[in-house]
Amino acid sequence: MEAMNRRVRLIRSLRSLVERQDFVAAIEELRRCPADVGTVVDYFTAIEKANSVPLINLDVASRLLQILLDVLVKEGPRFDAILSFVLRHVGRLLDLHGGTIRENIATAHTHTKCPVDISHEERLARCTACYDVLESLSRVLTEQHAQRKDATGDGVRSLQRHLKLILDAKGTPAG
């Protein structure tokens, strides 16, 4: 009963933080507490209900991608609904920031070091963090789900194509 009360308090707190659009604090609270997959699902549902998805910046997206990767590794192989949930939300985050990630990764080696452009360096660091998670996500999807022949497998392959466009940016010359 205590665990259930703790979860309810966490979910209320997360919803309140999402309503205030304090995504970073919500993610930190989610990471501090031993959250189960249901709590993660509820957090993403709160973001959707608040119509806050378009407000997610690159920093928050990189943190959310890591949470989705953790959920995929933990529960994805066992539950189709969890896999579909992860696919949908990774896709939404890529729709928001995939172009930025791809562009920054592709042009990272062309940016001159002097003068220092702090905003560019911060953006590149966030894009690199996203890129690293997307690489891991692609690997997990390939190893665990690429051979599926059902509709969920179609979703996996669709997301893999989207990921490939971003992941191939590292070897793409600028221009």
Side-chain angles (χ1 to χ4, degrees):
M1 191 62 142
E2 179 60 31
M4 193 97 134
N5 287 332
R6 200 171 32 246
R7 181 173 184 226
V8 168
R9 282 192 304 272
L10 174 61
I11 290 170
R12 284 184 182 148
S13 173
L14 291 173
R15 284 184 178 171
S16 172
L17 290 167
V18 167
E19 287 170 3
R20 293 192 318 252
Q21 298 175 356
D22 193 350
F23 302 112
V24 173
I27 291 168
E28 292 307 314
E29 186 162 335
L30 193 60
R31 288 232 177 256
R32 265 195 312 271
C33 299
D36 61 339
V37 174
T39 304
V40 172
V41 169
D42 196 69
Y43 173 67
F44 277 86
T45 301
I47 291 172
E48 287 178 330
K49 283 184 179 176
N51 292 320
S52 296
V53 173
L55 303 176
I56 294 172
N57 64 29
L58 196 55
D59 181 42
V60 172
S62 69
R63 296 170 193 231
L64 293 176
L65 286 169
Q66 183 61 56
I67 290 171
L68 290 168
L69 174 61
D70 294 346
V71 167
L72 179 65
V73 169
K74 181 179 177 185
E75 301 292 344
R78 299 186 314 154
F79 300 106
D80 285 353
I82 296 298
L83 176 59
S84 294
F85 168 83
V86 169
L87 295 174
R88 184 174 72 248
H89 288 286
V90 169
R92 290 187 82 182
L93 292 172
L94 292 181
D95 288 344
L96 281 173
H97 296 293
T100 301
I101 296 166
R102 184 183 188 332
E103 178 182 317
N104 279 271
I105 294 297
T107 61
H109 63 283
T110 64
H111 187 71
T112 58
K113 297 296 180 193
C114 287
V116 175
D117 182 350
I118 299 297
S119 63
H120 180 268
E121 295 299 321
E122 289 173 350
R123 187 173 50 255
L124 181 59
R126 289 182 181 117
C127 288
T128 301
C130 289
Y131 183 92
D132 293 343
V133 174
L134 294 174
E135 244 181 353
S136 297
L137 186 70
S138 180
R139 194 171 27 261
V140 170
L141 288 172
T142 299
E143 291 169 359
Q144 296 180 3
H145 304 288
Q147 302 305 316
R148 294 178 67 124
K149 303 293 184 204
D150 57 2
T152 303
D154 293 342
V156 169
R157 285 182 288 284
S158 175
L159 184 60
Q160 283 284 55
R161 286 189 295 275
H162 201 159
L163 288 170
K164 185 173 177 12
L165 292 173
I166 296 168
L167 297 177
D168 285 352
K170 203 166 214 172
T172 304

